[in-house]
């Protein structure tokens, strides 16, 4: 078993996405191999810390709009870039004309 496959299996176990038989077999493997149990505990602790941090640092919608607006003003002071919902900033390759609606 590769290290990447083992970590994916642990992730599935921690997310409770293994079927009953495989989860039972995985728990048995943890009982028989302290290294597996230690890795599972370590990843569980890491996930717990991350989830706690994300929930503590979550922004309200208003905060998110203000931060996003400030980032966009700093990234594109001309205001000609548009937002792509896929997460990309679309910047026109040519200079905008005076009557361009993006100004």
């Amino acid at each position: 078993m590769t290290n990447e496959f083992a970590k994916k299996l642990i992730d599935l176990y921690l997310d409770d996405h293994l079927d009953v038989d495989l989860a039972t077999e995985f728990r048995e493997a943890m009982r028989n191999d302290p290294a597996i149990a230690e890795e599972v505990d370590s990843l569980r602790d890491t996930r717990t810390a991350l989830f706690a941090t994300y929930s503590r640092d979550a922004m309200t919608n208003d905060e998110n709009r203000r931060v996003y607006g400030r980032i966009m003003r700093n990234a594109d002071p001309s205001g000609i870039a548009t937002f792509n919902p896929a997460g990309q900033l679309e910047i026109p390759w040519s200079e905008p004309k005076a009557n361009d609606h993006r100004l």
Side-chain angles (χ1 to χ4, degrees), residues 7 15 18 33 40 54-55 62 65 75 80 82-83 86 94 99:
K7 288 193 185 254
D15 289 338
L18 295 180
D33 189 342
V40 170
Y54 283 136
S55 66
D62 184 51
R65 278 192 294 275
I80 62 171
T82 57
F83 175 70
S94 61
N99 61 353

Side-chain angles (χ1 to χ4, degrees), residues 27-95:
R27 281 191 290 278
E28 183 66 28
M30 285 192 298
R31 276 193 288 277
N32 294 330
D33 189 342
I36 295 173
E38 189 175 308
E39 183 68 18
V40 170
D41 287 341
S42 174
L43 287 174
R44 183 181 287 124
D45 292 345
T46 300
R47 286 169 157 234
T48 300
L50 282 171
F51 293 147
T53 299
Y54 283 136
S55 66
R56 194 172 48 243
D57 290 342
M59 289 190 283
T60 65
N61 285 338
D62 184 51
E63 291 168 331
N64 192 5
R65 278 192 294 275
R66 283 189 323 218
V67 169
Y68 179 78
R70 187 171 58 227
I71 290 169
M72 289 302 293
R73 284 190 301 279
N74 289 332
D76 180 34
S78 68
I80 62 171
T82 57
F83 175 70
N84 176 344
Q88 299 295 319
L89 190 63
E90 294 177 353
I91 300 175
W93 290 101
S94 61
E95 289 293 321

